[in-house]
Amino acid sequence: MRPASCSLRTADRPAVLVAGSCVGVNVLLALLGMIAPIPSWVMWPAAILGSAVGGVGCLIAGLTGPGRVSTFWKRLAVAATLMTAGTVGWAYDMLTGDGVAINPVTNAFFLAAIGVAVVALLRLPGRRRTRRGTVALWLDIAVVTVAAILAAGQLVAGTDMPGVRGVLATAMYAVILGTCGATVVAVIKVGMAGAEPIHPPSIWTLAPIGLLAPVMFVLTPFMQPWPHLNPTVLSLPMAGLLFTLASRAQVQANRVPRGPATQPLPTDRPHRPSVWRRSINVVPYLAVGLTVAMVVAVVLRTGSLPATLAIGAVMLIVLVVIRQLLALADNTELLDRLSEQAEHDDLTGLPNRRFFTAALTNRTANTTVAVCDLDGFAALNDRLGDDCGDAILRQAAARITLTIDGGAVVARLMSDEFGILLPAGHDLAEGPQLADALQHAFRAPLRVDDRDLLVTATVGVATGAGADVPDLLRRAELALAAAARAGGNRHRAYTIDLDAGAEHHAQMAADIRRGLDHGEFRLVYQPIVRLPHGDIHGVEALVRWHPDGGSPISPGDFIPVAEHTGLIIDLGAWIIDRACADAAGWQRRHGGAAPWISVNVSARQLLDPELPAIVSTALTRHGLDPRRLTLEITETAVFAGGAAMATVQALRDLGSGIALDDFGTGHSSLTLLRTCPVTTLKVDKSFIDGLNGTAQQEAIATSLSGIASTLGLRAVAEGVENGDQAARLHELGYRYAQGFHFARPG
Ligand code: C2E
Ligand code: CA
Ligand code: CA
């Protein structure tokens, strides 16, 4: 910081002290003059000095502030200097003339000062507003100004100023009305449009300056007995003090470094509390109220209505009517926009669910509804971030809209789910055709942030006419859910059994909850053996459910329901605890010869941040060595990385093993073997089934064994059903296997 600017930044305080002293001196002199005669010039020096110091204060604020702040305060410094020049002129007129007449040049200085101050205030940027908003603001200002002129006119007419007549009176009235108008304009402008970037306390410290002239004018008749008292000598040091105080507040604000927290809010956001802005908006109506009261008072007092007052009142009414019409137009537009927003999605610009369901209601003609869901969108959004997720959704919206045109409604129903409504007779009105077209639309990758992303889609379709139409969205969503359960990236049409299925689903979820509470679940264990002899290395825990009084239900049926409803979290915690208890028991009985244990963990469980704690608690509680536990996860669950991958890492950090189950059937990506802390590959049964066939059929099983040994992973062949397969696996390098050939779960 340079020394000059440093001393400038600290000059604001002495300026306030000098201005304050000028006010003090003049007040003391005024009081003294009431008890003892004093020369009439004696108060002028402090008036001139006080006013000049006000200009200096503004200049300091102007020289230390940034950009627009600087311009504003420099303009005010010019205004204060013009005011000081006017004061000097007035002092000269008073001391050399008849004590009443004022030189036109003096008046010109005051008017120029007012003009510059008003320009400074009006040139403040304020909030960004529309053209209509600006017109409304100026109408409000006009309403208040007309009312203020009428009120001031009445005040002047009703105040008797001896010796002040003719041109002089007109000039004085012009100054007084000018300051009045300037204050009004400034208050309205700043109150309604905001004072940005000026420090708000500064603006409100400046506001009373405008009131000084009218107040002093009203007090003038009471000053007649004391010739040394003059409104100017009293009010100008006060104006100077207010200028220095306001500029000091600004200088202090300028000193605070401009960090994000102190930066002004974006200009289209309200800066002050809206209550304040609303109270300022009441000002035009108050002005109208005041005028009405004035008109009534004048008519009651004099029995007639002066022409000026009548014209002013009519002008006011016209202005208020225009303002109201404008507000009405504004409100109508706002309502239109709100209803548009209520029915549209901000992100994609498509209609939203509300619009879509409204479009379905009351429709009776044959209609097709499709619901299209982006596969794995949540995981992609997690991995790539919200901005990228938004870009994917926008692109998907554009793809769908391009694919389906002509009379169709395409809406974003929720998150990554889009709805399509086709009227009868549309080119694609046959359900399967529409679903095919939608899936086809996603065959080419989406280009997002300079990368190509292949995002597939799952589609549910329902077609109907008459009373069925309003139910089509629900039906299409049921079909979508069924298609998603079947693995996604496919489409499915609604059939009546889906309704039964949904009901069955809900019933099963309730039964699982009850089964958990009643201890209806148990674990069976299937050995994982060493090749070639088949001695037991470990066991895989597999859950079994015998609902009370019913036949056993396969995990293939109830695990998806438990996953879908989140019940897998509680069920999974029970499975982990039970498996650890059993394994710890074997360890106690058989020591090092006891089998290691594998437990299946579903994708939904991996999204639960509590999972590592659940596993660690079970291990500690039963005293099981973490290395004896392996958690089996699927590739699909961790493919997208994110939270699931972090959980897997935390599980691995406990010391337990991680197996990739059904390896080769999911989103297989060899990169996953580098990013995911895997210890075991469980090669899926479908590759084992191909053994002893052609070289091509064996190719994958062969290469997977190679990859596993290169990466130092254990490969387990799943679903080995006969001795030939076991022998071939051993030849291919497999050292571990599992399947009915060795043992069934039990
Ligand atoms: P998975 O994890 O791949 O489990 C192996 C499944 O293959 C078991 O069926 C097992 O009985 C069966 N299997 C084993 N050897 C053979 C064979 O040689 N031939 C044939 N055809 N099948 C064989 P299960 O017990 O019905 O389990 C089915 C699936 O349910 C499991 O597949 C797993 O995804 C899930 N599951 C089972 N238990 C649990 C559990 O405790 N937790 C979780 N999250 N999922 C489980
Ligand atoms: Ca498994
Ligand atoms: Ca498996």
Side-chain angles (χ1 to χ4, degrees):
M1 207 183 289
R2 282 173 299 130
S5 81
C6 186
S7 57
L8 248 189
R9 276 162 204 270
T10 49
D12 53 319
R13 205 174 131 89
V16 172
L17 286 177
V18 174
S21 310
C22 290
V23 172
V25 166
N26 266 8
V27 169
L28 280 177
L29 287 174
L31 294 174
L32 189 67
M34 288 180 183
I35 48 174
I38 54 166
S40 58
W41 60 267
V42 80
M43 289 174 70
W44 285 102
I48 295 168
L49 181 62
S51 169
V53 171
V56 173
C58 294
L59 192 63
I60 295 172
L63 293 177
T64 57
R68 283 177 153 161
V69 175
S70 166
T71 317
F72 172 77
W73 287 101
K74 282 179 187 161
R75 283 182 178 145
L76 276 198
V78 172
T81 310
L82 287 168
M83 186 179 83
T84 311
T87 316
V88 172
W90 201 322
Y92 179 79
D93 294 345
M94 290 295 120
L95 301 178
T96 58
D98 59 2
V100 175
I102 302 173
N103 191 327
V105 178
T106 302
N107 263 319
F109 276 126
F110 280 115
L111 283 173
I114 294 165
V116 174
V118 169
V119 167
L121 282 162
L122 293 184
R123 302 286 297 194
L124 286 177
R127 281 183 308 143
R128 205 183 302 142
R129 43 182 67 239
T130 57
R131 178 125 45 97
R132 197 179 286 170
T134 312
V135 174
L137 173 68
W138 282 104
L139 280 171
D140 284 345
I141 291 178
V143 167
V144 179
T145 313
V146 169
I149 290 175
L150 289 179
Q154 284 303 303
L155 185 78
V156 169
T159 312
D160 182 32
M161 294 217 356
V164 182
R165 298 278 178 271
V167 180
L168 172 63
T170 316
M172 280 192 66
Y173 296 157
V175 170
I176 287 154
L177 290 182
T179 13
C180 236
T183 317
V184 165
V185 169
V187 169
I188 299 278
K189 158 79 173 65
V190 172
M192 288 183 179
E196 283 148 19
I198 305 304
H199 188 45
S202 299
I203 288 289
W204 299 116
T205 313
L206 288 174
I209 295 176
L211 292 176
L212 285 173
V215 167
M216 288 302 158
F217 179 78
V218 173
L219 292 179
T220 305
F222 305 101
M223 297 180 189
Q224 296 304 322
W226 301 288
H228 70 287
L229 280 187
N230 177 302
T232 319
V233 291
L234 280 179
S235 59
L236 284 180
M238 289 187 200
L241 179 60
L242 289 168
F243 271 126
T244 49
L245 285 172
S247 55
R248 175 145 205 252
Q250 180 69 58
V251 171
Q252 283 176 337
N254 292 348
R255 271 190 211 131
V256 180
R258 295 213 143 204
T262 54
Q263 238 146 29
L265 294 172
T267 43
D268 49 354
R269 262 194 249 155
H271 185 81
R272 287 160 211 296
S274 53
V275 174
W276 166 243
R277 206 175 295 288
R278 244 181 273 135
S279 66
I280 280 292
N281 275 333
V282 167
V283 173
Y285 301 99
L286 277 180
V288 172
L290 259 171
T291 310
V292 170
M294 210 158 57
V295 168
V296 172
V298 169
V299 170
L300 286 181
R301 193 155 47 95
T302 63
S304 68
L305 183 62
T308 48
L309 202 53
I311 294 171
V314 171
M315 272 173 71
L316 261 191
I317 292 168
V318 171
L319 286 171
V320 169
V321 167
I322 299 176
R323 176 72 183 85
Q324 284 311 101
L325 287 176
L326 212 65
L328 198 70
D330 253 357
N331 287 349
T332 319
E333 201 173 274
L334 196 68
L335 279 178
D336 285 352
R337 211 164 341 127
L338 279 179
S339 65
E340 159 105 4
Q341 266 170 15
E343 295 194 325
H344 278 81
D345 165 52
D346 282 345
L347 181 69
T348 58
L350 291 179
N352 61 13
R353 191 180 194 98
R354 180 197 295 249
F355 183 95
F356 195 83
T357 39
L360 270 180
T361 339
N362 304 328
R363 195 184 265 264
T364 50
N366 196 31
T367 306
T368 303
V369 169
V371 180
C372 175
D373 186 89
L374 305 183
D375 298 328
F377 175 76
L380 272 176
N381 197 42
D382 247 17
R383 187 168 58 143
L384 304 175
D386 288 349
D387 287 346
C388 193
D390 288 354
I392 295 175
L393 290 175
R394 274 193 291 266
Q395 293 234 3
R399 279 276 165 94
I400 298 174
T401 321
L402 268 179
T403 311
I404 294 128
D405 48 4
V409 178
V410 176
R412 180 170 170 224
L413 299 178
M414 57 172 134
S415 172
D416 59 334
E417 197 179 298
F418 296 89
I420 298 97
L421 187 161
L422 290 192
H426 191 282
D427 292 352
L428 297 169
E430 290 294 314
Q433 251 180 309
L434 172 60
D436 270 342
L438 283 170
Q439 281 206 281
H440 193 84
F442 288 94
R443 221 149 271 172
L446 299 177
R447 183 112 193 114
V448 176
D449 289 348
D450 291 333
R451 58 184 142 190
D452 287 325
L453 294 174
L454 188 64
V455 181
T456 53
T458 303
V459 183
V461 191
T463 302
D468 284 348
V469 176
D471 195 37
L472 289 181
L473 177 57
R474 190 189 67 83
R475 294 181 184 183
E477 282 183 325
L478 265 183
L480 172 74
R485 271 199 302 278
N489 192 13
R490 65 195 68 209
H491 59 80
R492 163 143 201 192
Y494 166 84
T495 44
I496 189 92
D497 56 290
L498 284 180
D499 261 316
E503 218 172 278
H504 175 69
H505 201 96
Q507 179 63 48
M508 186 186 275
D511 289 348
I512 294 175
R513 177 79 264 165
R514 194 211 54 230
L516 257 175
D517 296 340
H518 290 77
E520 291 172 1
F521 291 92
R522 67 185 181 88
L523 294 185
V524 292
Y525 295 96
Q526 183 178 33
I528 297 170
V529 302
R530 273 196 205 88
L531 292 178
H533 304 297
D535 45 320
I536 295 183
H537 163 73
V539 291
E540 177 179 359
L542 294 162
V543 67
R544 296 289 177 263
W545 182 27
H546 286 269
D548 190 25
S551 46
I553 298 179
S554 150
D557 290 335
F558 70 81
I559 292 283
V561 177
E563 284 188 337
H564 191 75
T565 52
L567 284 167
I568 193 72
I569 302 286
D570 286 350
L571 178 60
W574 176 83
I575 292 170
I576 289 163
D577 190 74
R578 185 72 251 157
C580 288
D582 289 344
W586 302 328
Q587 202 185 341
R588 273 195 299 276
R589 254 175 282 146
H590 308 289
W596 297 46
I597 190 161
S598 288
V599 176
N600 292 287
V601 168
S602 80
R604 181 73 179 73
Q605 282 173 278
L606 288 179
L607 291 177
D608 175 18
E610 294 299 313
L611 184 66
I614 291 172
V615 172
S616 143
T617 309
L619 288 168
T620 324
R621 174 146 44 140
H622 302 293
L624 181 67
D625 180 351
R627 286 169 304 172
R628 290 195 154 259
L629 172 68
T630 293
L631 298 157
E632 295 194 5
I633 62 173
T634 58
E635 297 154 280
T636 333
V638 282
F639 177 69
M645 187 68 95
T647 308
V648 172
Q649 186 61 57
L651 292 171
R652 181 74 188 101
D653 291 344
L654 292 176
S656 299
I658 303 291
L660 277 185
D661 205 354
D662 306 339
F663 191 75
T665 58
H667 275 100
S668 277
S669 143
L670 292 180
T671 346
L672 197 61
L673 298 181
R674 271 198 293 118
T675 52
C676 188
V678 185
T679 53
T680 304
L681 292 189
K682 294 195 74 174
V683 179
D684 191 68
K685 181 174 183 301
S686 54
F687 306 117
I688 310 305
D689 289 344
L691 292 176
N692 300 312
T694 63
Q696 277 143 329
Q697 281 170 316
E698 285 191 344
I700 295 179
T702 313
S703 48
L704 288 182
S705 144
I707 290 170
S709 72
T710 313
L711 295 176
L713 306 177
R714 182 179 296 143
V716 178
E718 284 191 313
V720 182
E721 293 186 337
N722 57 57
D724 293 344
Q725 287 173 338
R728 185 73 183 127
L729 282 167
H730 186 244
E731 279 169 24
L732 292 178
Y734 283 87
R735 292 295 168 262
Y736 298 93
Q738 177 183 5
F740 292 170
H741 169 64
F742 305 104
R744 287 185 177 255

